[in-house]
């Protein structure tokens, strides 16, 4: 799973802090989500992010892709 929050923020010219405030999500939780440190997603967070950034397709926020697990090397 790949989370595209940093790309969306760059495109919008927003900071993580601004998104956290506007979407009413704890900044530390949002930061862990954005950096891929969370193993699960709260659909509520995705919906809030989508509504805040006016995104219709959740695939713009998160996508299922095969990623290499560097810890298994």
């Amino acid at each position: 799973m790949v989370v595209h929050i940093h790309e969306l923020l760059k495109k919008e010219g927003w900071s993580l802090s601004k998104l956290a405030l506007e979407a009413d999500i704890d900044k530390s939780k949002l930061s862990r989500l954005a950096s891929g440190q969370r193993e699960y997603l709260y659909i509520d967070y995705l919906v809030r992010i989508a509504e805040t950034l006016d995104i219709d397709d959740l695939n713009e926020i998160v996508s299922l892709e095969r990623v290499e697990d560097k810890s298994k090397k």
Side-chain angles (χ1 to χ4, degrees):
M1 172 175 54
V2 177
V3 180
H4 305 286
I5 293 175
H6 289 297
E7 294 91 338
L8 293 169
L9 293 175
K10 185 175 181 180
K11 184 173 123 181
E12 294 291 325
W14 284 30
S15 67
L16 195 64
S17 296
K18 180 175 181 177
L19 178 59
L21 180 66
E22 296 290 328
D24 193 27
I25 298 173
D26 180 78
K27 184 181 173 188
S28 64
K29 290 179 182 177
L30 184 60
S31 178
R32 287 193 302 272
L33 174 63
S35 65
Q37 294 177 358
R38 297 189 66 95
E39 292 185 16
Y40 53 89
L41 295 173
Y42 291 116
I43 190 70
D44 185 50
Y45 287 1
L46 297 180
V47 170
R48 287 191 222 169
I49 292 166
E51 289 174 346
T52 301
L53 296 176
D54 196 30
I55 294 172
D56 295 324
D57 184 357
L58 292 182
N59 288 312
E60 290 185 49
I61 301 169
V62 63
S63 59
L64 297 176
E65 300 173 20
R66 183 177 295 272
V67 291
E68 184 177 323
D69 186 352
K70 295 176 184 174
S71 67
K72 292 185 180 181
K73 283 188 170 185

